[in-house]
Each structure stands twice: as C-alpha cells, then as structure tokens.
C-alpha cells in the first residue's frame, strides 16, 4: 500500500544517459507528463509502475522480477 500511496518515482534529470550499442536512445523527461504511470529507476531503466507492483513473482519483493529481467 505504501508504494501505491507514493506513486511512481519520476526521477527528473537535466540529461539522461544514452543507452544501446548500435542504436543510441535516451529517455525524455517530458514522457512523464503524457505517461503518469511511467517510472524511472536509478539503474537508468524506465518501466510501468503497475507492472512493478503486480509482478507475478510473489517470492520476491514486488516488481523485482519485472524490474530486473525485462
């Protein structure tokens, strides 16, 4: 319930790191406005907040499987 009350973590940075080896991509902070469910981690990964909460791996902390595998 605490995660739901806090909402998605939308880490605002002036510039996000480039990812990808062949085709470089970069997260854009304006995506937070059009996608309030979007969350950004300190591991430079964007993901869906409800997917994080309702991961099917119940043996681990909520969302850890979705967060680390996909």
């Amino acid at each position: 319930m605490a995660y739901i009350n806090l909402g998605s973590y939308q880490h605002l940075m002036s510039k996000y790191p480039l990812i990808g080896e062949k085709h470089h991509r970069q997260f854009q902070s304006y995506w937070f406005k059009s996608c309030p469910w979007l969350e950004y981690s300190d591991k430079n990964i964007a993901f869906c907040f409800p997917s994080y909460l309702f991961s099917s791996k119940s043996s681990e902390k909520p969302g850890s499987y979705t967060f680390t595998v996909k």
Side-chain angles (χ1 to χ4, degrees):
M1 197 62 165
Y3 283 118
I4 293 171
N5 289 335
L6 289 173
S8 58
Y9 179 67
Q10 297 184 335
H11 183 68
L12 294 175
M13 299 170 63
S14 58
K15 191 170 186 178
Y16 294 86
L18 291 171
I19 60 169
E21 294 179 22
K22 189 173 181 180
H23 301 284
H24 295 294
R25 298 177 303 276
Q26 188 173 33
F27 186 83
Q28 304 296 316
S29 61
Y30 71 86
W31 294 341
F32 288 139
K33 289 186 182 199
S34 60
C35 305
W37 46 264
L38 191 62
E39 185 157 318
Y40 192 84
S41 81
D42 58 351
K43 296 182 184 204
N44 300 318
I45 300 169
F47 59 96
C48 172
F49 181 62
S51 294
Y52 175 78
L53 291 176
F54 301 107
S55 171
S56 61
K57 290 280 191 177
S58 61
S59 63
E60 301 172 19
K61 71 177 187 171
S64 60
Y65 178 77
T66 303
F67 183 70
T68 58
V69 175
K70 300 290 180 188

